[in-house]
Amino acid sequence: QVQLQESGPGLVKPSQTLSLTCTVSGGSISSGSYYWSWIRQPAGKGLEWIGRIYTSGSTNYNPSLKSRVTISVDTSKNQFSLKLSSVTAADTAVYYCARDHTTWVQDPGYFDYWGQGTLVTVSS
Amino acid sequence: AIRMTQSPSSFSASTGDRVTITCRASQGISSYLAWYQQKPGKAPKLLIYAASTLQSGVPSRFSGSGSGTDFTLTISCLQSEDFATYYCQQYYSYPITFGQGTRLEIK
């Protein structure tokens, strides 16, 4: 059973960089044709896909955030990470990591395993 | 970006009811649609993918249909644990987008 767990600071100051890590257990992050995604949800609102990475390092980002987002992977640690720069209060949200199940590599997919989510608040 | 619009945004129902939630895409997405259930304080849970394929372990009272631009999620006999918020998601093209959610409440 694949499990994902987000970790990182719960409070980030405006203009700084938000950094989160997702640790995958119960299977290798490199096995299968899976991408690994970040998704966020402001309180009381809907879901926004941030971006994803394949274990080769290939990435896809949401154009609305692309200029500020970097997603990386560390296969030796079975982890992938999110960096979001120049944050503002609008970036306050619960951040989820998820396994992106894609039929064809490089095509978008659906999310079959999710982490529990971590709240990140942007405030001075 | 493809816009996903769900209706209704919220509604009330009773246990045992049959309910249908609609999701409309702003352009055709074939059958590249998934449905999720989210309970307060929890991560979304995948219910259906490819518009009508039930994820393993999901009760058979959940079903999905549609293709192109119009899709439905049906719960055939509401149980108490089904009261939650439901989201559709398209994975036809980037960026991946979700509907705004449908909140299902107890009448």
Side-chain angles (χ1 to χ4, degrees):
Chain A
Q1 176 80 349
V2 175
Q3 293 184 310
L4 296 88
Q5 178 69 58
E6 305 88 352
S7 60
L11 181 64
V12 181
K13 289 182 167 53
S15 80
Q16 294 191 341
T17 296
L18 177 161
S19 296
L20 295 174
T21 295
C22 181
T23 301
V24 179
S25 59
S28 170
I29 198 171
S30 300
S31 66
S33 299
Y34 302 115
Y35 273 74
W36 302 90
S37 274
W38 288 97
I39 297 154
R40 69 180 183 179
Q41 185 174 38
K45 296 188 178 180
L47 299 157
E48 180 180 32
W49 175 72
I50 298 169
R52 66 179 200 166
I53 191 164
Y54 194 59
T55 50
S56 66
S58 174
T59 55
N60 301 102
Y61 296 134
N62 191 324
S64 68
L65 297 166
K66 185 174 183 178
S67 64
R68 299 194 290 131
V69 173
T70 302
I71 298 176
S72 58
V73 64
D74 186 338
T75 55
S76 66
K77 294 182 179 179
N78 236 31
Q79 294 176 336
F80 63 106
S81 299
L82 168 71
K83 291 189 184 300
L84 180 65
S85 64
S86 305
V87 298
T88 69
D91 295 309
T92 294
V94 174
Y95 285 75
Y96 295 100
C97 57
R99 191 175 81 170
D100 185 330
H101 190 124
T102 181
T103 302
W104 301 104
V105 173
Q106 297 195 14
D107 283 354
Y110 56 87
F111 307 106
D112 56 357
Y113 289 96
W114 295 66
Q116 65 185 25
T118 187
L119 174 63
V120 179
T121 301
V122 178
S123 175
S124 55
Chain B
I2 297 175
R3 180 176 176 85
M4 307 300 293
T5 304
Q6 292 181 229
S7 60
S9 295
S10 66
F11 71 105
S12 300
S14 302
T15 54
D17 285 352
R18 177 184 179 91
V19 301
T20 297
I21 297 169
T22 297
C23 178
R24 175 165 289 176
S26 61
Q27 65 185 74
I29 59 169
S30 185
S31 296
Y32 294 98
L33 185 101
W35 288 98
Y36 300 87
Q37 176 194 68
Q38 187 179 34
K39 296 182 178 179
K42 300 294 186 181
K45 173 188 174 183
L46 177 66
L47 299 175
I48 286 168
Y49 61 93
S52 61
T53 302
L54 203 63
Q55 172 71 347
S56 175
V58 174
S60 59
R61 63 181 180 272
F62 291 92
S63 63
S65 65
S67 67
T69 60
D70 295 314
F71 302 86
T72 59
L73 172 70
T74 299
I75 310 173
S76 60
C77 182
L78 268 177
Q79 304 297 303
S80 57
E81 61 266 31
D82 299 336
F83 292 95
T85 299
Y86 293 84
Y87 293 94
C88 61
Q89 174 232 328
Q90 67 81 20
Y91 52 103
Y92 178 79
S93 69
Y94 296 108
I96 293 166
T97 50
F98 294 85
Q100 83 280 13
T102 294
R103 184 175 179 182
L104 178 53
E105 300 174 317
I106 300 174
K107 185 180 288 183

